[in-house]
Amino acid sequence: MLTATRINTTTVKEHHYEGFRYESRFSPYGCNSPDNTGSSEPTLFPVVLIGGAFQRKEDWGRIEKGLLMHADVLAVDLPGWGAGDLLPPEYDIDFLTHALIRLLDDYGLTRINVLAGSYGTAIGYRLGQLRPDLLERMVLIGTMPAIPDDIRPAVYEGIEHALAGRKEEFAAMSLQWLTTRKEGVTVKMLNVIRRILWGRLVAIEDAEIDKFVANTRRLLEPNLIDTTVGPQAPILFGVGEHDTFTPPHLCRSLAQTCPSAQFVQIKESDHLIHLERPGDLVDLAVRFYHRIPVGDAPYLLGVEEPATK
């Protein structure tokens, strides 16, 4: 039994840390299967999903559904996300990591796998440093040590549009960061995803704008995470081959700080892998959690172990 108490239906739970309210969504293994009776046990430790910008706990869709064939799944809205309270930018990644630890304690979880994307990867990385006893294995998708200098002007411009209520300009700038700026490359579902994101971003509510601005200012801090001593747990770092927001060389550089890291590039994708290739992302994560070699996966360009070079 991998959780302290088995739960057989999807539940939403409220959490509190240092005066901030936030939420989680727990889905038990097999709950998406019509013949599930709740009597069988998962084959993996629970998978904790930590999302990126604009990604709420309800937004994992096919990824959550695929992971539920192997494990309980816990999706989080930490302070500053989704249903969580607004978190001012002076609260750092350590604060968010401790809020996550409180959430895990609320469930009585003592061992987990992690799948984190984009903004959420800094919290996953820090969790591996602060509480290695909790972490079985971790997959970090679309990560880097800090936002690079060449994209910072566009990020600041996006903040200005958001604060001024210029939602179309904000949407256009956000799409410029989040989808590839390379010409003549193939990215699965790119035009469809751009249309979906455009519709959501131009309709964004003021409360979500406030959270976006605070979270983005937090990301712009030069010392977002301390990489002096990387997490010791096995970590798979993944990035889209055409990602121009968290480009492959920066993702690889973060993998080099971890002694038990693998690094992969995912074909025909950019920063939004969870939307472009959800089935492949599930397959990649499940292979890694089950200790199955990923090198022959047809959606990868290959596998590196950067820390050994």
Side-chain angles (χ1 to χ4, degrees):
M1 186 173 293
L2 301 180
T3 59
T5 303
R6 293 298 297 153
I7 302 171
N8 295 322
T9 59
T10 295
T11 57
V12 173
K13 190 177 184 71
E14 183 176 305
H15 309 271
H16 296 268
Y17 180 68
E18 298 290 327
F20 291 91
R21 177 193 172 280
Y22 50 112
E23 289 186 357
S24 63
R25 181 177 187 269
F26 180 92
S27 298
Y29 160 73
C31 72
N32 62 329
S33 173
D35 59 355
N36 178 54
T37 63
S39 61
S40 59
E41 293 290 328
T43 58
L44 293 171
F45 287 102
V47 179
V48 177
L49 302 175
I50 313 172
F54 314 117
Q55 193 171 3
R56 300 164 296 196
K57 64 183 183 297
E58 300 86 3
D59 291 345
W60 288 92
R62 289 175 58 192
I63 292 172
E64 180 185 69
K65 184 176 181 180
L67 291 171
L68 283 170
M69 297 175 66
H70 305 270
D72 299 330
V73 176
L74 180 60
V76 302
D77 277 345
L78 295 176
W81 263 280
D85 287 344
L86 173 69
L87 186 68
E90 58 266 26
Y91 289 85
D92 60 10
I93 293 299
D94 271 25
F95 180 89
L96 284 163
T97 306
H98 284 293
L100 175 60
I101 293 168
R102 169 64 60 82
L103 183 155
L104 299 174
D105 288 345
D106 288 347
Y107 280 99
L109 294 173
T110 58
R111 198 71 172 169
I112 59 170
N113 292 300
V114 168
L115 173 58
S118 195
Y119 177 45
T121 60
I123 298 162
Y125 187 97
R126 191 66 177 131
L127 178 68
Q129 293 174 314
L130 293 176
R131 290 294 304 273
D133 57 300
L134 286 173
L135 194 59
E136 180 72 6
R137 291 191 150 220
M138 181 158 58
V139 177
L140 301 180
I141 300 294
T143 188
M144 59 185 171
I147 293 179
D149 291 341
D150 65 325
I151 201 169
R152 282 175 176 261
V155 174
Y156 281 115
E157 186 177 345
I159 290 175
E160 291 175 5
H161 289 317
L163 291 174
R166 297 188 292 266
K167 292 185 178 180
E168 290 197 359
E169 290 86 348
F170 166 69
M173 188 59 66
S174 297
L175 288 177
Q176 182 178 324
W177 315 338
L178 296 174
T179 59
T180 188
R181 299 185 300 278
K182 295 180 180 178
E183 297 291 337
V185 300
T186 299
V187 172
K188 284 186 176 293
M189 302 289 291
L190 182 58
N191 290 333
V192 173
I193 289 167
R194 280 175 171 163
R195 287 197 298 271
I196 292 171
L197 282 178
W198 175 268
R200 181 177 174 194
L201 293 172
V202 295
I204 193 169
E205 297 181 356
D206 291 344
E208 197 170 2
I209 285 281
D210 292 340
K211 291 175 183 178
F212 161 79
V213 170
N215 290 341
T216 304
R217 284 177 170 160
R218 194 170 4 261
L219 281 178
L220 287 164
E221 287 297 314
N223 300 311
L224 183 66
I225 50 175
D226 180 3
T227 61
T228 305
V229 180
Q232 301 298 300
I235 303 177
L236 180 65
F237 290 80
V239 66
E241 65 168 323
H242 302 306
D243 192 332
T244 51
F245 183 60
T246 58
H249 73 279
L250 291 181
C251 185
R252 183 186 290 109
S253 72
L254 192 58
Q256 289 170 341
T257 69
C258 301
S260 300
Q262 293 179 299
F263 168 74
V264 298
Q265 294 185 61
I266 300 169
K267 296 177 183 177
E268 296 184 354
S269 57
D270 56 24
H271 192 63
L272 301 176
I273 296 169
H274 67 290
L275 298 175
E276 295 156 358
R277 307 199 71 147
D280 293 333
L281 181 53
V282 169
D283 181 73
L284 179 66
V286 168
R287 285 184 186 221
F288 184 69
Y289 298 147
H290 274 303
R291 296 170 171 77
I292 299 170
V294 301
D296 63 346
Y299 48 81
L300 297 181
L301 292 178
V303 182
E304 303 174 27
E305 296 183 1
T308 65
K309 294 182 178 180

